[in-house]
Amino acid sequence: QVQLQESGPGLVKSSQTLSLTCTVSSGSISSGSVSSGTYYWSWIRQPAGKGLEWIGRIDKSGSTNYNPSLRSRVTISLDSSKNQFSLKLSSVTAADTAVYYCGRHFYDRSGYLTNDYWGQGTLVTVSS
Amino acid sequence: DIQMTQSPSSLSASVGDRVSITCRASQSISNYLNWYQQKPGKAPMLLIYAAFSLQSGVPSRFSGSGSGTDFTLTISSLRPEDFATYFCQQNYNTLLTFGGGTRVEIK
């Protein structure tokens, strides 16, 4: 089954850019639409002791969707040659301190999210 | 954004108890509703998709119901490994949103 692993700095200074990479194994990141649905590569974060916030997603063609609350600061990109996708979040503040998860979401042809795989998550702390 | 409201935020129960958690959407989402289980230090795990379909490998003591704006996750007979936090998630919109979570604790 597909496996995902986040990597990147665990400490970022306030006002700088948070950069994380998700490496995908046992599955090609170029997998996109199949007869039964579509795969998306996503980022989700979770502040300590709090709920989950969807950051955005990218498909195999590089088409992206972002959370409007973060859109001005977020970039998600794909590197098929390395089987990786990445997250950049600019102008970070303490409010961006969270565990960041990468994931693969599968949507069936009716648009239901019916299956997903998540990385183990990586804690990013924003310091002043 | 579609707001998802879960209740209760926490509950205490004993092994063998029947437990229900509710989730309400701020607008109709048909049955585009998933339930996740999260244990400390771990990523969430998908239990139920499309409101009532059990994900492969998930025990049958978990069930989901509802449509429109009101949904319920039921655990028919709580087992020790079920003590965790549960989240609902709507995927009606591209912008996925989650409920605030329900922590199920041992009584």
Side-chain angles (χ1 to χ4, degrees), chain A:
Chain A
Q1 66 180 34
V2 66
Q3 295 181 318
L4 301 98
Q5 178 68 58
E6 305 88 352
S7 60
L11 189 64
V12 180
K13 290 189 175 181
S14 184
S15 80
Q16 295 190 343
T17 296
L18 177 160
S19 295
L20 295 174
T21 296
C22 183
T23 300
V24 181
S25 56
S26 301
S28 172
I29 204 166
S30 298
S31 300
S33 297
V34 295
S35 60
S36 56
T38 303
Y39 293 105
Y40 293 95
W41 305 94
S42 304
W43 289 96
I44 290 172
R45 68 181 183 179
Q46 184 174 34
K50 297 188 178 180
L52 297 150
E53 180 179 34
W54 182 80
I55 299 171
R57 71 184 190 186
I58 190 167
D59 68 14
K60 70 167 186 174
S61 71
S63 178
T64 54
N65 301 100
Y66 298 131
N67 189 322
S69 69
L70 299 169
R71 180 178 289 132
S72 63
R73 299 194 291 131
V74 172
T75 303
I76 296 175
S77 58
L78 204 63
D79 187 339
S80 299
S81 67
K82 296 181 179 178
N83 225 34
Q84 295 176 333
F85 63 106
S86 298
L87 168 70
K88 291 189 185 299
L89 182 65
S90 64
S91 305
V92 296
T93 69
D96 295 310
T97 294
V99 173
Y100 285 75
Y101 294 100
C102 63
R104 188 188 80 172
H105 290 165
F106 178 75
Y107 287 76
D108 71 11
R109 295 181 68 181
S110 298
Y112 293 102
L113 197 170
T114 62
N115 183 266
D116 57 18
Y117 290 94
W118 298 57
Q120 65 184 24
T122 187
L123 174 62
V124 178
T125 302
V126 177
S127 67
S128 55

Side-chain angles (χ1 to χ4, degrees), chain B residues 32-58:
Chain B
Y32 288 81
L33 190 284
N34 291 356
W35 288 99
Y36 288 83
Q37 178 193 69
Q38 187 178 34
K39 296 184 177 179
K42 300 292 186 182
M45 181 181 77
L46 180 62
L47 298 175
I48 288 172
Y49 63 92
F52 56 83
S53 295
L54 204 62
Q55 180 70 301
S56 176
V58 173

Side-chain angles (χ1 to χ4, degrees), chain B residues 36-103:
Chain B
Y36 288 83
Q37 178 193 69
Q38 187 178 34
K39 296 184 177 179
K42 300 292 186 182
M45 181 181 77
L46 180 62
L47 298 175
I48 288 172
Y49 63 92
F52 56 83
S53 295
L54 204 62
Q55 180 70 301
S56 176
V58 173
S60 59
R61 63 181 180 275
F62 291 93
S63 64
S65 63
S67 182
T69 60
D70 294 311
F71 303 87
T72 301
L73 171 70
T74 299
I75 308 172
S76 60
S77 180
L78 208 58
R79 292 182 59 87
E81 59 267 33
D82 300 336
F83 291 95
T85 300
Y86 295 84
F87 294 94
C88 60
Q89 174 218 61
Q90 66 77 23
N91 50 97
Y92 183 79
N93 281 355
T94 297
L95 170 53
L96 303 178
T97 51
F98 295 83
T102 297
R103 185 174 177 180

